[in-house]
Amino acid sequence: MMKQKIKQISNKDLVIDSIKKYPGLRFFELKNQTGLVNGVLQHHLQMHIKLKNIRLEYDNTTPRYYSTEVDKQTAILLKRLRQPTTSKIIKLLLKNECCTFGQLVKSIKKSPATVSIYKNKLLADNIIVGDTNECKNCSESYNKIKYRLVNSDHATLMIHEYGKNSLRKTVDNLSDIFLSIR
């Protein structure tokens, strides 16, 4: 009987492959994804950062890891797609082309204050834009501000490329809660 060789992936490659597959993971999520213990994971992350294979970015005090192949605007979009409320806003705007603030609140089913916080984050990140231009979905909202995606093709591509499951898998529920009560 022939022994079948099983190719084992090194911890170094496991870390970089996980970051490429799931860009924007936080340390704990990356630890769960790779199965590595804290010290081993920290060692490989520091090595990859030093070699400039990955990029470390902070969202407030939360570190996120990205492959250097992921540009900054894509990293921001992926971060927002991982957050439940901003993800709902982005997906709603993909579906409807544009929405007024009232339509966002009604569809997202969160308080106006919470929706406002996340809408403002998306505006600041240049993922959405607000204007009073006419829209087929908002004809009754003449002269009201309507929100649209700046680049809906890019958002669609990121959802398809990184998959709804990987984005849903690492949802930042706790961060969503904290940001909404600030």
Side-chain angles (χ1 to χ4, degrees):
M1 208 186 243
M2 288 179 63
K3 282 188 175 179
Q4 187 178 11
K5 282 190 174 184
I6 299 173
K7 184 180 176 185
Q8 275 200 320
I9 186 167
S10 70
N11 289 343
K12 174 184 154 190
D13 291 335
L14 180 63
V15 170
I16 195 74
D17 289 349
S18 295
I19 291 170
K20 284 181 178 181
K21 188 173 181 180
Y22 304 108
L25 289 180
R26 297 175 297 165
F27 183 86
F28 183 72
E29 295 166 333
L30 196 53
K31 181 182 169 201
N32 288 340
Q33 184 65 36
T34 61
L36 298 175
V37 295
N38 287 354
V40 172
L41 178 58
Q42 189 65 41
H43 166 75
H44 289 291
L45 286 170
Q46 291 305 320
M47 182 187 61
H48 282 300
I49 290 168
K50 196 174 198 177
L51 295 171
K52 298 187 189 238
N53 295 333
I54 63 172
R55 185 174 74 246
L56 171 63
E57 292 187 9
Y58 283 89
D59 180 24
N60 292 326
T61 59
T62 305
R64 293 183 177 278
Y65 300 91
Y66 296 92
S67 162
T68 53
E69 298 165 4
V70 175
D71 65 75
K72 294 224 182 237
Q73 190 60 32
T74 299
I76 291 167
L77 178 60
L78 289 171
K79 173 177 66 174
R80 295 303 178 210
L81 283 168
R82 289 187 193 294
Q83 296 171 326
T85 303
T86 52
S87 179
K88 287 177 185 176
I89 293 170
I90 291 167
K91 291 172 185 173
L92 179 65
L93 293 175
L94 275 173
K95 181 180 172 186
N96 294 332
E97 182 186 336
C98 74
C99 289
T100 63
F101 182 74
Q103 290 168 325
L104 289 174
V105 170
K106 185 176 178 183
S107 295
I108 304 300
K109 296 180 179 148
K110 298 270 186 182
S111 74
T114 298
V115 173
S116 181
I117 288 168
Y118 288 103
K119 170 196 59 89
N120 290 339
K121 287 185 175 298
L122 292 169
L123 286 166
D125 291 339
N126 199 35
I127 294 172
I128 66 171
V129 64
D131 58 42
T132 57
N133 296 340
E134 284 303 306
C135 167
K136 66 181 179 209
N137 295 326
C138 302
S139 57
E140 76 282 351
S141 303
Y142 178 74
N143 249 2
K144 281 191 177 181
I145 295 176
K146 294 170 258 325
Y147 299 95
R148 312 167 200 281
L149 289 167
V150 169
N151 188 341
S152 59
D153 292 340
H154 188 226
T156 301
L157 179 64
M158 290 304 98
I159 289 169
H160 288 304
E161 186 170 335
Y162 293 105
K164 292 178 183 174
N165 289 337
S166 73
L167 292 170
R168 201 175 293 137
K169 181 178 180 180
T170 58
V171 165
D172 294 332
N173 286 322
L174 192 57
S175 132
D176 196 23
I177 291 165
F178 285 138
L179 286 171
S180 69
I181 59 175
R182 280 190 178 175

